[in-house]
Amino acid sequence: MSAAAGKRKVKNIMNREKLLLDMFSALHGELGSSNWWPADSAFEIMVGAVLTQNTNWKNVEKAIQNLKQRNLLAPQTLLDLPQDELAALIRPAGYYNVKAKRLRNLLLWFDDIASCSFSALDHMSLDELRAQLLTVNGIGQETADSILLYAFKRPSFVVDAYTRRIFNRHSLIEEDIMYEDLRDFFMDVLPHDVHLFNEFHAHIVRTAKKWCTKSKALCETCPLRSFLE
């Protein structure tokens, strides 16, 4: 790479960092703190990350409440529960047989690698822990990053369909961009800060639901309207 090309690359990275931070500031100024993920414990977040696959949060809340009412929301307790009973309890979350199996896979991994202790994984780097999570059958990239960011408090940026929609409409990414490339779009330039990643992802979701909907873009009142140019 020539010196000139190297300078252009550095400039482009700096420009993207500034743009993303400016967009975050605009969203945060309009929306305030999001206080995500709503849960009483890191383990509850881990369970919720599996249950929220292909459903809305209200359904997840009903499933988690079923577990709480029976004092089952603990790693070893859920592991000891027969899979069909677990499936029946999480039925409100949909795809309950599939999710019961995926949740059990995650619990078996957690027990095997750390005896169900979050602190036992403190020595692992973000990349090592992410690679481990992705070996669990039923845990995809978005679910793994959600668990890393919200349960393990690791700076792993979560991207989803909302992220793709908003940033494609702002002509910053291609619509068919791969998950890892979209994640890198943020991870490569932003400070690796858990609070920043938490709030940014939450703001993206809230913006997509209120202004940048799938069927209609309400750009005139959107906090990101000044970035359309």
Side-chain angles (χ1 to χ4, degrees), residues 54-79:
N54 302 306
T55 193
N56 62 60
W57 186 249
K58 288 184 178 180
N59 293 332
V60 175
E61 287 181 321
K62 292 175 184 176
I64 288 178
Q65 192 59 33
N66 283 346
L67 298 175
K68 283 185 173 181
Q69 287 176 346
R70 292 162 179 79
N71 295 315
L72 296 173
L73 201 55
Q76 198 59 54
T77 307
L78 283 185
L79 266 176

Side-chain angles (χ1 to χ4, degrees), residues 6-20 185 188-190:
K7 288 180 180 178
R8 285 196 299 272
K9 183 176 181 180
V10 170
K11 184 177 180 181
N12 287 337
I13 289 174
M14 292 176 64
N15 287 344
R16 195 199 320 166
E17 178 186 14
K18 183 180 185 307
L19 174 62
L20 291 177
F185 181 81
D188 285 351
V189 298
L190 291 177

Side-chain angles (χ1 to χ4, degrees), residues 36-38 47-64 90-95 99 162 205 209:
W36 277 24
W37 187 299
V47 172
V50 175
L51 297 184
T52 198
Q53 295 173 350
N54 302 306
T55 193
N56 62 60
W57 186 249
K58 288 184 178 180
N59 293 332
V60 175
E61 287 181 321
K62 292 175 184 176
I64 288 178
I90 63 171
R91 189 183 184 98
Y95 303 98
K99 289 181 181 179
Y162 300 129
V205 174
K209 289 183 175 181

Side-chain angles (χ1 to χ4, degrees), residues 1 39 49 51 107 113 117 120 153 210 214 226:
M1 181 185 296
L51 297 184
L107 291 169
I113 197 172
S117 168
K153 305 298 183 186
K210 185 172 182 178
K214 188 174 183 179
S226 64

